Amino acid sequence: MRIGIVGAGQLGRMLALAGYPLGLRFVFLDRSEDAPGAQVGRIIPGAFDDAERLAELADCVDVVTFDVENVPETAVRNIAARKPFLPPVEALGASQDRLTEKTLFSKLKIPTPPFAPVDSFEDLERAAAKIDIPGVLKTRRLGYDGRGQYFVRKRSDLKIAWRTLGSVPLIYEGFVDFSREVSLIGVRSTSGETRFYPLSWNTHQAGILRHSIAPYRNAPLQKQAERHLTRLMKHFDYAGVLTVEFFVKRGRLIANEMAPRVHNSGNWTIEGAETSQFENHLRAILGLPLGSTRPIGHSAMVNFIGRIPSLRNILQVPGVHFHSYGKEPRPNRKLGHCTINASSSAGRDRALRQLLRQKLA
Ligand code: AMP
């Protein structure tokens, strides 16, 4: 079987690495011929909205999936007419627009911060008056890793927030004073079989994921999160991995966003779970039996952003597994990650502290 992946970033690369032992082969579509996927598969060079290149990809594989969300829905509908395209186009479409996404959360009774669309400065003033300040002004589309958002802390910030982002459709959200951020990764096969990983506890700085700890054991939150993902999966008749990021506030989950794909906060599953999110995504879109999502011990995942410390220093940390994506260093760019795996949570926390203390991350 051949799998086509739109996008050849690190997530696509890790999908291919998980798929080779299953006998799968991979072809990517990406603008950049030296994207991380190029190390493990053929790249068809092209933009994500290049109808001809997308058709070329669809014609040489059995199933098409993606590792990025900014693939135009209209371009993808052409592929979906030629070959199975999973997760469903509708889920991809909903995740591309924060307004559509939050409207869907509300419709499915999944708690989400109060929100309002903003297309003018007057809209922003009205939204801030109704929802309150502090709040966050975000671009509806193409925002990731903290890009395209402005934290409004006081009334006088509204003007500068509007000046900074105001040229595109926006959404204003209430600021959530959360105690922590968690994500749930679920997987549903084309046969309907569904499994969930344990929650990850995620720490962000400047909007970028720095590290995750998993399993984050909290039975009531796990149950709430699984209920929310089950609703989304049913709604889309979903197949593949689905991730939802939540804020935790007073024992309740508030959904921030969904990603209809494998997710950075699930990278720990490569060494930390019986079956990784990457392998389970492939099994799911091919209708194969899903693998166990049971954690093996206690894991922490640390992203390397902007620079990678020396391999020698990283590898001296007990229980560490290192992944370099083969990218050119650039500020705020995710270049690699490592996962620490330990038999106790105390051992995991010790190793994580060692990594963070040595400023390796
Ligand atoms: P996002 O791009 O929506 O994933 O936001 C990136 C990060 O900004 C999140 O992981 C939070 O740490 C923070 N953030 C986003 N939206 C809100 C909000 N409504 N309230 C508080 N913090 C937020």
Side-chain angles (χ1 to χ4, degrees):
M1 295 283 269
R2 282 185 181 277
I3 314 287
I5 305 182
V6 183
Q10 60 267 19
L11 295 171
R13 179 178 181 272
M14 288 185 269
L15 277 170
L17 290 173
Y20 282 116
L22 300 178
L24 306 175
R25 293 295 173 264
F26 295 84
V27 184
F28 299 91
L29 176 103
D30 203 289
R31 252 182 307 249
S32 159
E33 283 181 81
D34 63 356
Q39 300 154 26
V40 294
R42 179 162 79 86
I43 296 214
I44 297 175
F48 297 151
D49 61 352
D50 185 330
E52 247 172 66
R53 295 283 88 78
L54 283 166
E56 190 184 329
L57 177 74
D59 287 345
C60 69
V61 298
D62 300 290
V63 184
V64 182
T65 188
F66 49 91
D67 88 336
V68 282
E69 272 139 86
N70 56 345
V71 188
E73 207 182 322
T74 42
V76 162
R77 288 207 180 270
N78 289 332
I79 302 192
R82 294 171 112 95
K83 284 284 159 65
F85 180 89
L86 295 166
V89 181
E90 294 71 23
L92 178 65
S95 73
Q96 287 173 342
D97 183 334
R98 293 184 193 272
L99 182 64
T100 315
E101 181 181 61
K102 292 210 155 64
T103 306
L104 176 67
F105 288 158
S106 301
K107 186 178 140 202
L108 297 179
K109 306 217 171 338
I110 300 171
T112 194
F115 62 94
V118 169
D119 295 307
S120 64
F121 184 65
E122 292 68 40
D123 283 351
L124 177 58
E125 283 190 309
R126 259 194 303 273
K130 189 166 151 228
I131 292 169
D132 215 352
I133 294 174
V136 193
L137 186 64
K138 298 181 179 178
T139 56
R140 279 173 55 179
R141 292 179 164 271
L142 298 177
Y144 68 98
D145 284 348
R147 284 170 232 209
Q149 54 176 266
Y150 198 99
F151 281 80
V152 175
R153 295 171 213 280
K154 49 189 188 310
R155 247 199 96 68
S156 57
D157 288 344
L158 289 176
K159 269 217 169 89
I160 175 156
W162 173 253
R163 249 185 268 132
T164 310
L165 299 176
S167 54
V168 291
L170 302 170
I171 182 172
Y172 183 80
E173 294 175 14
F175 178 83
V176 180
D177 189 14
F178 55 80
S179 54
R180 63 180 90 222
E181 295 186 78
V182 297
S183 58
L184 185 72
I185 294 179
V187 56
R188 185 175 190 263
S189 148
T190 53
S191 69
E193 184 188 2
T194 303
R195 291 182 188 239
F196 296 99
Y197 288 91
L199 287 168
S200 302
W201 167 17
N202 306 321
T203 301
H204 295 83
Q205 264 167 33
I208 306 183
L209 179 64
R210 304 292 154 155
H211 55 87
S212 295
I213 284 178
Y216 171 61
R217 291 194 197 282
N218 182 316
L221 290 184
Q222 181 81 30
K223 210 165 130 198
Q224 273 181 52
E226 290 187 9
R227 208 172 48 230
H228 297 329
L229 263 79
T230 302
R231 281 199 197 131
L232 283 164
M233 286 172 160
K234 274 215 181 104
H235 173 81
F236 290 118
D237 191 16
Y238 201 83
V241 159
L242 173 69
T243 309
V244 180
E245 293 182 83
F246 296 98
F247 302 124
V248 182
K249 190 178 170 186
R250 291 195 208 103
R252 278 188 70 229
L253 291 176
I254 300 171
N256 177 29
E257 61 181 354
M258 61 176 248
R261 55 167 171 78
V262 287
H263 194 260
N264 190 176
S265 66
N267 287 0
W268 66 271
T269 61
I270 297 176
E271 295 91 5
E274 280 188 11
T275 316
S276 75
Q277 62 163 349
F278 301 100
E279 180 174 339
N280 259 340
H281 179 74
L282 297 168
R283 291 188 188 208
I285 63 175
L286 293 171
L288 296 168
L290 298 180
S292 164
T293 48
R294 217 167 57 83
I296 304 168
H298 300 262
S299 301
M301 189 275 322
V302 176
N303 273 337
F304 296 121
I305 297 162
R307 118 198 139 84
I308 293 197
S310 95
L311 194 55
R312 179 173 296 281
N313 287 350
I314 296 170
L315 295 184
Q316 74 192 3
V317 176
V320 81
H321 303 271
F322 176 61
H323 299 254
S324 169
Y325 309 147
K327 288 169 156 179
E328 280 301 310
R330 228 187 277 148
N332 290 333
R333 197 174 199 202
K334 290 177 183 166
L335 303 175
H337 77 267
C338 71
T339 299
I340 298 158
N341 212 236
S343 54
S344 68
S345 58
R348 183 259 326 271
D349 294 347
R350 243 191 330 270
L352 177 60
R353 273 198 304 274
Q354 184 179 344
L355 257 173
L356 299 178
R357 196 174 45 236
Q358 294 178 350
K359 295 228 180 322
L360 294 179

